[in-house]
Amino acid sequence: MYYKLASADLPLLLPRLRALQAQIAPAVAQARLQARVDIVDGVATVMEVYSGVADPAQFARRLDAAAGALPDALRAARRTERFRDL
């Protein structure tokens, strides 16, 4: 999942994303937040990265439930892309 967020809002929003990841921690081996190195026009790209997902269906349910509690601004900015190892 990734977000395009105003860089000025990051100090307020990052704790919410970390709380989301703490909620779903039992379903994954590792949860990380990453940010794009460059900030363009005051917009930062922040990405949630999850690895070691043993049960994808359980993970999806936990993630959807946790994301439902995010503030409207974060839910609106959230984009989902899924990748797999090759």
Side-chain angles (χ1 to χ4, degrees):
M1 279 50 74
Y2 71 93
Y3 308 80
K4 299 275 186 174
L5 303 168
S7 59
D9 293 341
L10 290 180
L12 298 172
L13 298 176
L14 290 178
R16 299 300 295 264
L17 294 177
R18 287 189 178 102
L20 174 143
Q21 290 188 317
Q23 279 186 287
I24 61 170
V28 299
Q30 184 179 24
R32 299 183 322 273
L33 285 178
Q34 296 181 322
R36 178 171 256 155
V37 174
D38 56 332
I39 293 176
V40 178
D41 297 327
V43 176
T45 303
V46 176
M47 184 169 55
E48 298 171 41
V49 180
Y50 301 98
S51 59
V53 176
D55 183 340
Q58 178 191 31
F59 170 74
R61 285 190 302 274
R62 284 181 185 253
L63 186 60
D64 288 344
L70 290 173
D72 290 342
L74 274 177
R75 282 200 324 269
R78 193 166 201 251
R79 301 293 176 258
T80 300
E81 293 185 13
R82 293 188 170 102
F83 295 84
R84 61 181 172 83
D85 290 330
L86 298 178

